[in-house]
């Protein structure tokens, strides 16, 4: 009986494992009509708060930590979806997954087995033995006992069914991604199935090695081609996957540019599309351009600045203006830092520096009217939007100085903001905060005014 009990415990533990581990898939399957929309909102909210540093590589510890959108996860990390919060969580994969889940399962069933040693094959054969055992028992034990055993083992058909599902759980990330890509690429899949496949795929490609695996079997190109779909939702979710896959992942970024992703992203930005689609596409574009001067060069050659300008100037998409300006600010400073770093430390690789030198961003910005566009955005009412615009104005100062000096509206706006932030900074100081937010804004305004005098 001891081995039977042990096996049963093991199987129970495995269900707990499968339930808690299968979640990205179940999440989508259980809430088919709910999940894309709801999580889209969540995602969008989170994206709104995206800062440049969010796009850096996440550094996992031994504790579970929430993963923010756009963050890349180093190879070998352990990622899970927290079903309570809907957040992805990451930690170092210091222990065997299975062991971990056994430990975590609330019942805390203690099993004296080396769970590391069990594979799905082991479990299948254990299940077969278990069935034999049942037969043996029934031949020699009394009826009550038999009933008890039957009670215990009646769900054996269900167990088998669950084992079939267990195989799904044991699929490697690679197999899951292949399945999802096939689902997405199949002409017999419905629109909903395709979106669900992309939605699930996004979860996997946050891990850098998964994103590179996606590349290896041609899956990345299939997603890139998804940007050509006539369905705005397919474009949107393809961009969602790409944004995650590109993030801090040079191998994938290179292939994406070669695979025509940049052009397709820009076409979407420059043509009439729903705001939600453009938002995700802008996110993917940022993720592709950041820290990748090669893509930045192509972006300029392909008329990227015009596409962004149309985005900022159209009524329907002007809410994206601050994100656009933030992207441009990041690109300008990134190039500056590369030059500075090369001078100071001589650690920047010569090719990279060479590539940055071929990104003629500032002249492009000036020619395309970005001096005026950026200055006009200072009229936005939100403090954080103004903060971003002030940063950008500072970065463009050397390039746009003469323009700014002649811009009477800009001077008036700056003077008005100076008064507003003088008052707010004084309040801040009264409250004992002598390095406050408003004081910083005030000091950027003061130095801009100084420069333009
Ligand atoms: C996607 O489908 C096309 C045509 O239906 C096929 O040629 C291609 O090999 C598929 N790609 C992948 C990665 O499955
Ligand atoms: C996708 O669209 C672009 C232009 O939007 C076009 O040049 C390209 O040929 C299309 N690719 C496919 C695979 O349909």
């Amino acid at each position: 009986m001891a081995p039977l009990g042990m096996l049963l415990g093991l199987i129970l533990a495995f269900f707990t494992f499968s339930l808690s581990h299968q979640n990205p898939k179940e999440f989508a399957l259980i809430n088919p009509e709910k999940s894309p929309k709801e999580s889209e909102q969540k995602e969008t909210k989170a994206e709104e708060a995206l800062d440049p540093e969010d796009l850096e590589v996440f550094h996992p510890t031994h504790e579970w930590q929430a993963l923010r959108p756009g963050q890349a996860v180093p190879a070998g990390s352990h990622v899970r979806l927290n079903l309570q919060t809907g957040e992805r969580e990451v930690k170092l994969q210091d222990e065997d997954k299975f062991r971990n889940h056994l430990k975590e399962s609330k019942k805390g069933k203690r099993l004296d087995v080396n769970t590391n040693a069990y594979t799905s094959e082991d479990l299948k054969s254990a299940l077969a033995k278990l069935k034999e055992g049942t037969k043996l028992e029934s031949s020699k034990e009394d009826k009550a006992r038999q009933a008890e055993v039957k009670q215990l083992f009646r769900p054996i058909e269900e167990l088998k069914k669950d084992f079939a599902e267990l195989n799904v759980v044991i699929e490697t990330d690679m197999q899951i991604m292949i399945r999802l890509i096939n689902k997405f690429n199949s002409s017999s899949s419905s629109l909903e199935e395709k979106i669900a496949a992309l939605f699930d795929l996004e979860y996997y490609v946050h891990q850098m090695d998964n994103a590179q695996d996606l590349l290896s079997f041609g899956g990345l190109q299939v997603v890139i081609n998804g940007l050509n779909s006539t369905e705005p939702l397919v474009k949107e979710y393809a961009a969602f996957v790409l944004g995650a896959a590109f993030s801090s992942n040079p191998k994938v970024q290179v292939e994406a540019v070669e695979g025509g992703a940049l052009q397709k992203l820009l076409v979407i930005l420059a043509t009439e599309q729903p705001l939600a689609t453009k938002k995700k596409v802008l996110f993917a574009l940022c993720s592709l351009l950041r820290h990748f001067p090669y893509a930045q060069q192509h972006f300029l050659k392909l008329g990227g600045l015009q596409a962004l300008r149309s985005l900022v100037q159209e009524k329907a998409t002007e809410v994206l203006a601050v994100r656009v300006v933030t992207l441009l600010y990041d690109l300008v400073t990134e190039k500056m830092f590369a030059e500075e770093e090369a001078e100071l430390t001589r650690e920047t690789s010569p090719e990279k520096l060479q590539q940055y030198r071929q990104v003629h961003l500032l002249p492009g910005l000036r020619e395309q009217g970005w001096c005026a566009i950026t200055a006009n955005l200072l009229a936005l009412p939100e403090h954080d939007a103004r903060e971003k615009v002030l940063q950008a104005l500072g970065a463009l100062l050397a390039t746009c100085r003469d323009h700014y000096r002649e811009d009477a509206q800009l001077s008036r706006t700056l003077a008005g903001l100076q008064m507003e932030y003088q008052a707010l900074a004084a309040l801040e100081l009264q409250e004992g905060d002598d390095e406050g937010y408003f004081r910083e804004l005030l000091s950027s305004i003061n130095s801009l005014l100084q420069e333009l005098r």
Side-chain angles (χ1 to χ4, degrees), residues 2 4 22 37 48 64 76 83 88 104-105 118 156 169 187 212 260-261 265 280 289 297 322 343 369 378 405 412:
L4 283 184
Q22 212 179 3
K37 235 194 204 137
E48 244 133 43
W64 287 111
L83 281 183
R88 270 156 239 174
E104 277 174 22
S105 65
Y118 282 83
I156 208 139
V169 174
S187 52
Q212 292 174 13
L265 291 172
K280 288 279 196 294
L289 293 181
Q297 280 174 40
V322 175
E343 246 171 62
L378 200 55
R405 280 203 168 127
R412 277 194 298 276

Side-chain angles (χ1 to χ4, degrees), residues 1 4 8 130-139 141-156:
M1 200 53 212
L4 283 184
L8 190 66
L130 190 137
K131 276 162 84 182
E132 279 170 26
T134 316
K135 269 185 226 143
L136 276 177
E137 297 259 345
S138 61
S139 63
E141 299 290 333
D142 62 288
K143 279 199 168 168
R145 179 104 187 92
Q146 223 179 71
E148 196 187 313
V149 170
K150 264 196 185 151
Q151 184 77 22
L152 276 173
F153 294 112
R154 197 171 40 196
I156 208 139

Side-chain angles (χ1 to χ4, degrees), residues 322 377-391 416-417 419-425 427-428 437-442 444-445:
V322 175
L377 286 174
L378 200 55
L380 286 170
E382 303 85 11
H383 297 302
D384 58 339
R386 291 168 178 174
E387 181 193 0
K388 299 270 161 55
V389 177
L390 283 168
Q391 280 181 340
L417 291 178
M419 276 168 58
E420 182 179 341
Y421 288 114
Q422 269 166 352
L424 288 168
L427 277 177
E428 219 169 39
Y437 178 68
F438 295 128
R439 190 187 158 102
E440 286 215 355
L441 287 185
L442 179 60
S444 338
I445 291 167

Side-chain angles (χ1 to χ4, degrees), residues 90-106:
V90 186
K91 69 172 197 164
L92 289 175
Q93 190 150 25
D94 48 351
E95 290 164 288
D96 181 88
K97 266 187 193 171
F98 183 36
R99 206 179 247 281
N100 249 335
H101 275 273
L102 281 181
K103 258 203 208 153
E104 277 174 22
S105 65
K106 269 179 250 131

